[in-house]
Amino acid sequence: MERHEFRMDTRGVDRHNVSRRVKVLLGISLFLTGFGALGGTMSIVSRIREEAWEEMGTVAFCWNVLFALILIISLVGLIRIALDLGEGKVFSRTLTVCVWLIGAVITAASMGIPRLPDYQSSGFEILSHGNFVLIDGAILIPGILLVILGSLIQEGFKLQKDEEEIL
């Protein structure tokens, strides 16, 4: 090459391949979460039809509904992760929304479950007087942590988008 001549490589950057370990873990989590969400949903529907939720107690039934809802939201998030990993992306808007939703559902449960008639205190109460408990702190803290985690994932998603735009 002569002086003041240069070559420019305009090919795109190859994305890193996802490791086999991550693929196996993602497959196992999709399988287990799918069966858990399906089984949990079927169990809740059958308990409502048979009115078996009255036997087990309102709080226990609400925990089952909460767990099934979290599994359904997680399944949607895992499916989206699997699709995005195929394109070389780690973060997505759906993943962010799923983590935020799980955090919001758990946070709402920390305010709703103490209102149920057969509620037993966890021992970590926020603003309680006598039998009245405004918020159960043992439920609230995981909800808040998941909302914070959703915020961190959202920042990772924004950084990933910026990197894609630059490259």
Side-chain angles (χ1 to χ4, degrees), residues 60-72:
F61 180 73
C62 285
W63 276 118
N64 287 341
V65 170
L66 182 71
F67 185 68
L69 182 61
I70 288 171
L71 282 176
I72 291 168

Side-chain angles (χ1 to χ4, degrees), residues 56-160:
M56 66 186 303
T58 312
V59 172
F61 180 73
C62 285
W63 276 118
N64 287 341
V65 170
L66 182 71
F67 185 68
L69 182 61
I70 288 171
L71 282 176
I72 291 168
I73 295 169
S74 298
L75 181 63
V76 169
L78 286 171
I79 290 170
R80 185 57 192 217
I81 289 170
L83 294 173
D84 288 342
L85 279 179
E87 298 174 8
K89 298 177 184 175
V90 178
F91 299 104
S92 70
R93 185 173 309 280
T94 306
L95 176 61
T96 302
V97 169
C98 286
V99 174
W100 273 61
L101 269 175
I102 293 170
V105 165
I106 293 173
T107 302
S110 74
M111 294 177 233
I113 288 180
R115 308 283 170 279
L116 300 175
D118 54 344
Y119 166 73
Q120 295 292 321
S121 173
S122 66
F124 180 34
E125 303 161 346
I126 299 175
L127 295 176
S128 67
H129 180 65
N131 288 337
F132 175 78
V133 177
L134 180 63
I135 299 172
D136 189 330
I139 306 170
L140 178 68
I141 289 177
I144 290 174
L145 289 174
L146 283 169
V147 169
I148 292 169
L149 179 63
S151 299
L152 292 172
I153 293 172
Q154 183 177 19
E155 290 302 313
F157 176 65
K158 287 178 184 177
L159 290 172
Q160 178 178 280

